[in-house]
Structure formats: structure tokens, C-alpha cells
Amino acid sequence: MTGQPVPHTAREIRLASHITGELTEKNFDLVEAEVAGPGPDEVVVRNEYLQVSAVMQDLMKPDPDLPMPPYTPGQRLWGSAVGTVVSSNSPDLSVGDTVAHADGWGEYSVAAASEFGKLPDGLFPDPKHFLTQGPTAYHGMVDIAEVTEGDVVYVSGAAGGVGSLAGQIAKCRGAKLVIGSAGSPAKVDYLVQELGYDAAFDYHDGPVLDQLRKLAPDGIDVFFDTVGGEQFEAAVQAAAQGARFALCGALAGQVGDGLGGHPRLDIMTAIVRQIVIRPFATYHTPEQIQAWTEHFCQWLGEGRFVFPHTVVEGGISEAPGALKSLLEGKYTGNVLVKLGG
């Protein structure tokens, strides 16, 4: 066995109770847990960054009905993280290797080496670039919506972890016009000035349909939806002939009264304009992850892409608050909690 000093205990976040109403920090427990030494073919990893995403709230519900493991009261939450191997009983991973995994709601993780993916050196500026919602954005925009040159694209929730990448992907794929909607003037400026959106609007500033028709008078060819609600309904009315809709999320139904998760579909308009509506799940295959990683690396190297993210300092204790703040729309881009290192 090779290794560095490992503490006997470390902090982790467990689910205290299922969500039955609004998410609060009372749904989480911060506990001091034993850090076991590595068994045969196991490693110990010191976690450095945890990724927080909106789907985590759904996984805290009693019956989330999602294609991924739900959280269980009394058990540690899971989530994407990167860290460094500090002790190893495996020939496949060495002390000092940087790895990605899905056991991130704790300061340390101990598991079989096969549960960790070794990250290549030099591919990205730092390991944080491996913690994005890029596979979702890429798969939805490229494989589901089939965005191509000349398209007029509309992205709802465009300043969030997925939307902030989806719009850039559309631009790199040759879209003629990329429009984003967000919830504040600052986010609108961020979309245009930082992320390269051609146009953006605050959905609080008037009917979404009016704003879409002003910015895209000939209609939208692609709609990448992370919100639902009024923004979905408006996109149907603003759709061009043969428009393709990729339904990624329903934030309007995840926060508040939840009615935004059940938008009305104007069926006759959808029929006349032959709109293709394709919902898709976000439990990704290795091929989808690889496709995103390759293009992300290429576009970054060409200077055509930025990594939109917010880092929350303060350690593992800040993770529950970071999730709550994300759902309240307080961040831009992908949200990462710095655990240490």
C-alpha cells in the first residue's frame, strides 16, 4: 500500500429527511464520519470540488421517478466530484492521481479503484473543467435538437449550468442567431458579453412571446428548454416550420408551486408547424461524455468557448446552502463547491 496521512474522520453530508415541501437546510445533516483505510484494490481520495445541480433537489424527494439513484435518509448524498488519490491499494491508481467520481458530498471517499476515473494531465487548465453539465448540453443540442448551420436557436434558463453551455455549443455548430432568456438584467448582460449569445432578454420584462417575436421575427428553428412554463408555451407560438424542441428540464416546476412543470401545448400550432418535441433524460453514456470532452477541449483551445462557473468557498458545510441558492437563481454557470486542496 502507498499513501499519505489520512485523517481518522472527515465531514460528509447526509440526507436528514425527504423533501415534502420547500427545500431547507434542515433536510441535510453534516456529520463527522470515519474514514476507513483502503481495502484490497481500493483507494482513498481527498475530494477537492463538488458539483451542485438542480436535479439534486428532485433526488431528495420520496419518489423522484428519475433514471438515477435517489437519495436515502440517513445516507451520504452522491454527486460528481474531483479529487486526489491519497492512499492506494490498487495497481490502477497511484497516490497523486487526479480522479473524477460520483461520491462527492464528503471530504474523503473510499471505494474500489474502478469507481474512480483517472483524469488525463494537460487536457484542461485545471480539474474543475471536468465538472460541468456539458454532456447534457452537448447531447441535447447536437443529438436531440440536431442544431446546424443557419439555425435560429432559443435557450431558456440560459445562464444556468446547462444553458450557459448549450448556447455556446449552438454558436460553435454554426447557428445564425442564438437567443437566451434569464431572470435578471445582470444575467442578460452576462449571456451577451461573456458567453457570446447574440441576444438575450429578462423573462420578467414582459410576455415571453412578444420578446421572442421581436428578436426572431421569422421564428425559431431550435428550442433548448430547461424551464418549461410560459417559456415553453411561447416557444411553440414562435416556432418556425419544422422546429426542433429539446426538453432538458422544467425549472419552473421545480421551484415554487410547481405549475410551470405542466405547460399547455397548443396542439394545432404544433401540428401545422410540424414541431418535433423530444424530451431527453440526462443519465449519459460514456460515448456522450467523450463527445462532449473532445469538443469542449477543442473549442477552448480555439478560443471559441468559455467555462461558465461559480465556485462556492467554505468547504463541505456550504454545499446545502449552495444547492438552495442555485435553485433560487443566485448563480451563473456550473456551480462548484470547493471542499479543500
Side-chain angles (χ1 to χ4, degrees), residues 125-144:
D126 63 62
K128 293 194 298 291
H129 286 67
F130 287 96
L131 291 179
T132 77
Q133 292 175 272
T136 298
Y138 187 88
H139 176 57
M141 190 60 82
V142 176
D143 302 325
I144 303 299

Side-chain angles (χ1 to χ4, degrees), residues 1 14 42 62 71 75 106 137-138 169 171 184 189 200-201 206 250 283 285 302-303 309 312 314 317 332:
M1 180 177 72
R14 297 176 181 173
E42 289 188 337
Y71 297 140
Q75 299 297 313
Y138 187 88
I169 292 167
K171 291 295 291 184
S184 72
D189 290 342
F201 64 90
Y283 197 70
T285 66
E302 295 170 348
H309 66 287
V312 178
S317 62
T332 56

Side-chain angles (χ1 to χ4, degrees), residues 5-324:
V6 176
H8 295 295
T9 62
R11 297 180 298 170
E12 66 180 31
I13 301 290
R14 297 176 181 173
L15 183 64
S17 60
H18 282 132
I19 297 174
T20 55
E22 183 179 350
L23 173 70
T24 73
E25 296 199 25
K26 292 183 179 179
N27 294 115
F28 303 88
D29 274 335
L30 175 64
V31 303
E32 195 80 17
E34 179 184 1
V35 180
D41 204 36
E42 289 188 337
V43 298
V44 180
V45 172
R46 183 183 65 242
N47 294 322
E48 295 168 6
Y49 290 95
L50 161 69
Q51 182 182 15
V52 179
S53 58
V55 72
M56 291 175 171
Q57 176 186 239
D58 296 312
L59 295 174
M60 295 174 68
K61 296 177 180 178
D63 185 18
D65 192 26
L66 291 171
M68 54 187 72
Y71 297 140
T72 303
Q75 299 297 313
R76 174 169 164 166
L77 280 66
W78 63 268
S80 297
V82 294
T84 302
V85 176
V86 293
S87 186
S88 176
N89 261 341
S90 170
D92 298 323
L93 291 174
S94 302
V95 171
D97 284 345
T98 302
V99 296
H101 61 93
D103 186 40
W105 283 71
E107 294 175 320
Y108 284 80
S109 296
V110 184
S114 59
E115 297 296 314
F116 303 91
K118 183 178 178 180
L119 300 180
D121 294 330
L123 188 61
F124 293 120
D126 63 62
K128 293 194 298 291
H129 286 67
F130 287 96
L131 291 179
T132 77
Q133 292 175 272
T136 298
Y138 187 88
H139 176 57
M141 190 60 82
V142 176
D143 302 325
I144 303 299
E146 299 180 341
V147 67
T148 189
E149 292 185 8
D151 279 337
V152 175
V153 177
Y154 168 43
V155 180
S156 66
V162 177
S164 61
L165 299 169
Q168 294 188 79
I169 292 167
K171 291 295 291 184
C172 288
R173 295 274 295 183
K176 177 175 66 176
L177 178 68
V178 179
I179 302 166
S181 58
S184 72
K187 288 183 177 180
V188 168
D189 290 342
Y190 172 73
L191 292 177
V192 176
Q193 297 174 10
E194 300 293 331
L195 302 187
Y197 273 74
D198 297 296
F201 64 90
D202 183 340
Y203 63 83
H204 297 109
D205 285 348
V208 172
L209 179 57
D210 291 349
Q211 301 192 66
L212 278 178
R213 283 179 169 162
K214 179 180 178 180
L215 295 171
D218 295 327
I220 58 173
D221 303 299
V222 168
F223 178 40
F224 190 104
D225 190 19
T226 70
V227 175
E230 181 195 359
Q231 298 183 58
F232 172 85
E233 294 176 4
V236 172
Q237 299 300 319
Q241 191 73 16
R244 292 95 67 200
F245 283 26
L247 306 189
C248 173
L251 285 171
Q254 291 176 277
V255 181
D257 59 19
L259 296 179
H262 301 82
R264 296 167 297 178
L265 172 62
D266 181 344
I267 295 176
M268 282 306 301
T269 296
I271 291 171
V272 170
R273 297 184 189 169
Q274 299 186 78
I275 300 172
V276 177
I277 300 175
R278 295 186 64 188
F280 69 100
T282 57
Y283 197 70
H284 296 294
T285 66
E287 292 77 16
Q288 291 168 3
I289 295 170
Q290 181 65 23
W292 158 247
T293 301
E294 289 179 358
H295 285 89
F296 187 29
C297 181
Q298 174 189 335
W299 292 333
L300 280 173
E302 295 170 348
R304 304 170 63 197
F305 214 96
V306 299
F307 172 31
H309 66 287
T310 299
V311 175
V312 178
E313 303 276 354
I316 188 66
S317 62
E318 299 301 311
L323 176 57
K324 190 171 186 299

